Amino acid sequence: MTGDTHKDERQAQRRVLRVSAAVVLPGHEICYGVRTENVSSSGLAVRMPRALAIGTKIDLTFVLATSAGPIPISLTAAVVHTMLSGDSWLTGVSILKIADQHRAIIGAYCAGRH
């Protein structure tokens, strides 16, 4: 797993990614079914049913469709912003921990290589 990625997250190449995902707050039994909006190798935008405080850590799991087939991705992230958007909270998260292989796969996806 890699460490902190708090360098300028908004500069990372992003790509639209609208898939179902699961969010769990560490230490809680509550699991939220969410939808991703976009992804980069340093973060994601996620539509949440409720607002989460800035700095809240979450465990996020989703499946990324690639040319090699579907790849389940699991990561730990921290909320960096949230705003009400329609009937959900658009929440930006910064990736804190992810397997190096999964970060590379997301990077390839964002570059259009998957």
Side-chain angles (χ1 to χ4, degrees):
M1 298 263 177
T2 59
D4 198 0
T5 62
H6 280 94
K7 60 186 178 195
D8 194 1
E9 290 92 1
R10 297 302 299 170
Q11 298 304 313
Q13 185 173 11
R14 293 187 171 272
R15 185 167 173 195
V16 171
L17 177 68
R18 293 199 173 106
V19 298
S20 297
V23 167
V24 175
L25 280 66
H28 296 82
E29 294 180 13
I30 300 170
C31 180
Y32 295 100
V34 302
R35 186 130 184 107
T36 63
E37 286 291 314
N38 62 55
V39 65
S40 77
S41 59
S42 61
L44 294 97
V46 186
R47 292 207 169 266
M48 294 284 302
R50 71 189 271 273
L52 297 177
I54 304 301
T56 300
K57 290 185 181 176
I58 64 169
D59 292 326
L60 178 75
T61 305
F62 62 95
V63 175
L64 185 64
T66 71
S67 57
I71 298 174
I73 306 283
S74 294
L75 57 92
T76 299
V79 175
V80 293
H81 68 81
T82 188
M83 67 180 195
L84 186 59
S85 174
D87 62 353
S88 62
W89 292 88
L90 187 58
T91 304
V93 299
S94 176
I95 297 172
L96 300 174
K97 292 182 183 176
I98 186 171
D100 290 334
Q101 175 188 6
H102 289 171
R103 189 180 304 276
I105 290 166
I106 290 172
Y109 174 83
C110 291
R113 296 190 305 265
H114 277 295

